[in-house]
Amino acid sequence: MTTLALYSNKGGVGKTTAAVNLAYLAAQSGYTTLLCDLDPQAAATFYFRVKPKLKADARGLVGVRKELERSIKASDYTGLDILPADFSHRNLDITFDRSKRSRQRLGSALKRLRREYDLIVLDCPPTINILAENIFNASDHLLVPVIPTTLSVRTFEQLLSFLAENKHDLKQVSAFFSMVDRRKNLHKQVMSEMYEQFSNVMQNPIPTLSQIELMGVYREPVSAFSPRSAAARAYKALWSELKEKKMFS
Ligand SMILES: Nc1ncnc2c1ncn2[C@@H]1O[C@H](COP(=O)(O)OP(=O)(O)O)[C@@H](O)[C@H]1O
Ligand SMILES: [Mg+2]
């Protein structure tokens, strides 16, 4: 089982959109996949038309196995399950903080699912607290959407230093360009600078495309409602690149 986190401590950069589409493409390619929605805003849960249990709470994620299994829902797609978020997730950091081995709780909870899933995709909230520590410890790979502007590059650099300083045992941290507008000179410039500076930037960017925004209307991955669109092709190319890099066992 491989755990891939879509992570950034910035909001609105394309984490959820990528998590939803990559999880869908993974399931389509035959990986039994769980998309785990860790964001109390529950956007990924919304896109898959999944309703969280009314009284669901975060106990499953802190290690109560039965609670975890009971919270998992099937999606409309073969091979893809969802662990929905609900508003109680806003307290996940406090829940982790109060428990023993507080930085490993998420990883221990997810490990119990290793026989059921080939791939777990984590859709993360923009956080850098104890929940983030749990995410780093639970993940094999972090995939970070970067909008090619100067500030986003700094955020990515800060993340890399934070991970190095705190000796997180991640196999790989990669960035991919998100919401790219090639008509903007700044985007082109920042992209070429990042390719020079870092070796861990994916070659396949996701452009800004109105089809992607329609996901909120159709409540489906763009690859499901418009498989031949430029948007679907962009996520497909990113997914293929992740596979080529042998990120998934
Ligand atoms: N490539 C894109 N082109 C156009 N709109 C996008 C693109 N990626 C994301 N969006 C839109 O931007 C908003 C934020 O994206 P989202 O994936 O929810 O970000 P995050 O999870 O990082 O907060 C959403 O409304 C989404 O539809
Ligand atoms: Mg999100």
Side-chain angles (χ1 to χ4, degrees):
M1 183 183 85
T2 307
T3 303
L4 171 73
L6 270 297
Y7 175 82
S8 168
N9 57 342
K10 280 171 82 84
V13 294
K15 294 182 294 298
T16 299
T17 313
V20 164
N21 284 288
L22 294 173
Y24 171 82
L25 290 167
Q28 288 261 303
S29 330
Y31 292 80
T32 311
T33 302
L34 175 70
L35 175 66
C36 187
D37 188 351
L38 296 175
D39 190 340
Q41 300 209 352
T45 303
F46 170 84
Y47 284 132
F48 282 110
R49 303 160 186 261
V50 169
K51 283 204 194 85
K53 260 195 333 195
L54 222 51
K55 273 195 184 160
D57 59 28
R59 275 186 298 167
L61 288 173
V62 200
V64 185
R65 186 192 161 115
K66 269 195 198 139
E67 288 294 329
L68 182 62
E69 287 184 343
R70 238 182 272 160
S71 305
I72 292 174
K73 303 279 167 93
S75 74
D76 293 341
Y77 311 102
T78 313
L80 178 59
D81 289 348
I82 314 292
L83 180 65
D86 67 69
F87 204 54
S88 69
H89 280 193
R90 74 193 184 283
N91 291 327
L92 258 182
D93 49 348
I94 301 168
T95 316
F96 285 138
D97 210 14
R98 286 196 192 126
S99 54
K100 285 187 203 143
R101 298 182 66 238
S102 58
R103 289 177 162 66
Q104 310 287 346
R105 300 307 298 230
L106 180 64
S108 317
L110 296 179
K111 249 188 214 149
R112 298 198 192 96
L113 301 171
R114 65 182 175 273
R115 281 196 201 92
E116 275 110 301
Y117 296 102
D118 301 319
L119 176 65
I120 296 188
V121 177
L122 304 180
D123 182 29
C124 304
T127 167
I128 187 100
N129 58 15
I130 191 154
L131 172 58
E133 300 264 358
N134 270 272
I135 289 163
F136 302 152
N137 288 327
S139 304
D140 299 300
H141 304 285
L142 283 196
L143 186 57
V144 184
V146 173
I147 302 173
T149 63
T150 326
L151 263 182
S152 320
V153 178
R154 278 196 58 215
T155 310
F156 184 59
E157 281 171 332
Q158 285 163 352
L159 172 66
L160 292 179
S161 346
F162 177 86
L163 291 169
E165 277 162 28
N166 291 279
K167 302 194 170 41
H168 280 290
D169 184 24
L170 288 158
K171 280 187 209 135
Q172 211 163 349
V173 183
S174 316
F176 73 92
F177 290 118
S178 182
M179 299 190 212
V180 173
D181 185 346
R182 287 194 189 274
R183 288 166 307 179
K184 289 186 180 157
N185 278 331
L186 178 68
H187 279 208
K188 281 196 282 197
Q189 193 185 324
V190 170
M191 285 170 78
S192 67
E193 280 168 15
M194 264 193 84
Y195 280 128
E196 260 173 44
Q197 192 180 342
F198 302 102
S199 56
N200 52 352
V201 182
M202 307 293 286
Q203 295 296 323
N204 290 283
I206 306 296
T208 296
L209 291 163
S210 51
Q211 280 282 333
I212 291 178
E213 284 172 89
L214 289 179
M215 279 173 54
V217 177
Y218 290 102
R219 295 182 71 180
E220 287 192 303
V222 68
S223 317
F225 69 79
S226 190
R228 271 181 282 278
S229 62
R233 287 202 306 273
Y235 282 111
K236 187 94 192 247
L238 182 61
W239 165 246
S240 302
E241 190 179 349
L242 291 171
K243 265 201 312 191
E244 276 161 27
K245 292 200 159 161
K246 304 216 175 349
M247 280 198 176
F248 314 114
S249 40

